[in-house]
Amino acid sequence: MIVARSVIEMKEKRGRVNANVGFVATMGALHTGHLSLIERAKNENDFVVVSIFINPTQFREGEDFNRYPRKLEADSVLCKAAGVNLLFTPNVEDIYGNDEPTIKAPTITGHILEGKFREEHFDGVLTIVMKLFNIVQPNRAYFGKKDAQQAILITKMTNAFFFNIEIALCETVRENGGLALSSRNIYLSKSEKSEAFKLSKALFEASKLIKQNEIRALAIIQVITEVLKPLPIDYIAIVDRELKAIETIKKGETIILIAARAGTTRLIDNMWI
Ligand code: PAF
């Protein structure tokens, strides 16, 4: 596995690759969810690049940037074992210099749901993804559906700026019992973790109802609210693939999103119907 620690190094190594490049952007602390993206990238491309970069501009003041898990050595071992061809680990100075985020998230879709609770979060996400796309120049890039709004905004940006990159959205990987894997799950105490399972449980209940032909968004939101009790809820939303709220579920066109808190940890989960 080649390691590129700077933008110059990455560009130089990329210039020598004459093959289809699959790309997985991460902030490290890799888990099975990331590994499933890497595995799919391996299956669909000749050469796989993984980036590890904890992007400061997508964290708000007071969020967990400083305590976000940093596990570069272990991550590097995992990447090597997974058959990653090139690991890109730039530093903040190299990526940003003195720049602020230069891409602004869309006025509406970037400022609802997560964008409402984490102001300017998506400016940071879209800016780093734009930078990484330009540096890595992949043919395909892989993102998890777990971060549904991020996945949709990145897809939209890729189309809006006419990147020749195919965006592949990959299924959420869950622990036994349903909890969606996330690098932030390590913040959960034992009791918070058992509370956290309520998010996936609520989504499974919703999915059961939909299988029984319930299509009213309000009825589904009510059931989710019940299952989540007593967790503080940031939002429960039922939207189409453009993130617009809808009143009736249409299969193949709907996403149910939840954000709630277990202790001090904010959790998100969703289900694409
Ligand atoms: O999903 C993530 O880990 C990050 O938001 C991403 C896409 C790597 C950008 O920093």
Side-chain angles (χ1 to χ4, degrees):
M1 184 175 74
I2 308 165
V3 180
R5 294 187 179 81
S6 69
V7 173
I8 287 184
E9 236 183 293
M10 177 66 222
K11 284 186 145 186
E12 190 255 320
K13 308 257 193 257
R14 174 64 180 97
R16 291 205 220 138
V17 178
N18 200 0
N20 238 34
V21 172
F23 176 46
V24 180
T26 80
M27 298 206 298
L30 302 181
H31 51 65
T32 316
H34 297 113
L35 295 180
S36 76
L37 303 183
I38 294 172
E39 191 183 339
R40 183 159 163 207
K42 282 292 291 178
N43 288 337
E44 296 178 359
N45 303 277
D46 310 312
F47 193 93
V48 171
V49 177
V50 170
S51 64
I52 296 180
F53 180 69
I54 305 181
N55 175 36
T57 64
Q58 69 189 77
F59 292 79
R60 297 185 64 201
E61 201 66 37
E63 286 189 348
D64 56 342
F65 176 70
N66 286 329
R67 70 165 178 153
Y68 199 86
R70 285 160 170 84
K71 301 186 170 177
L72 194 51
E73 243 170 72
D75 288 344
S76 166
V77 171
L78 285 173
C79 283
K80 198 166 173 194
V84 170
N85 301 94
L86 199 162
L87 178 61
F88 178 39
T89 61
N91 63 42
V92 175
E93 179 61 26
D94 200 15
I95 288 286
Y96 282 106
N98 292 321
D99 293 350
E100 291 174 34
T102 36
I103 302 293
K104 292 286 168 204
T107 319
I108 296 170
T109 48
H111 293 87
I112 53 174
L113 306 167
E114 284 306 285
K116 186 167 160 201
F117 285 87
R118 306 181 68 192
E119 250 172 65
E120 295 174 12
H121 167 67
F122 289 117
D123 296 356
V125 170
L126 295 179
T127 298
I128 187 60
V129 171
M130 170 76 95
K131 283 173 183 274
L132 291 170
F133 279 1
N134 280 316
I135 300 163
V136 175
Q137 301 195 13
N139 299 89
R140 296 198 184 88
Y142 297 79
F143 295 92
K145 287 183 175 178
K146 157 84 176 20
D147 293 300
Q149 190 174 9
Q150 164 175 290
I152 289 169
L153 293 177
I154 289 172
T155 307
K156 280 178 171 298
M157 180 183 75
T158 306
N159 295 335
F161 287 95
F162 304 105
F163 275 108
N164 279 326
I165 300 173
E166 192 185 311
I167 303 294
L169 303 186
C170 307
E171 296 306 323
T172 301
V173 179
R174 296 176 183 281
E175 279 188 25
N176 277 343
L179 180 64
L181 295 190
S182 160
S183 305
R184 288 187 166 99
N185 288 353
I186 60 155
Y187 299 153
L188 296 166
S189 68
K190 220 169 171 190
S191 67
E192 287 167 356
K193 194 160 179 187
S194 65
E195 297 273 82
F197 276 95
K198 290 192 176 179
L199 275 79
S200 52
K201 184 157 185 267
L203 290 168
F204 296 150
E205 291 295 325
S207 155
K208 224 190 282 168
L209 270 186
I210 293 164
K211 281 195 187 117
Q212 291 160 7
N213 295 325
E214 178 60 83
I215 56 163
R216 295 167 302 157
L218 263 182
I220 290 161
I221 288 174
Q222 252 168 20
V223 168
I224 293 177
T225 310
E226 274 308 307
V227 180
L228 288 178
K229 273 181 186 164
L231 299 190
I233 297 169
D234 280 353
Y235 58 79
I236 302 167
I238 301 194
V239 301
D240 64 16
R241 298 286 206 262
E242 295 288 316
L243 298 171
K244 218 184 268 158
I246 50 174
E247 284 174 14
T248 50
I249 308 279
K250 289 196 188 69
K251 289 195 181 147
E253 295 175 27
T254 303
I255 312 172
I256 304 178
L257 304 112
I258 300 177
R261 285 162 205 275
T264 53
T265 300
R266 198 166 170 278
L267 298 160
I268 60 170
D269 199 355
N270 63 67
M271 190 167 271
W272 299 52
I273 306 286

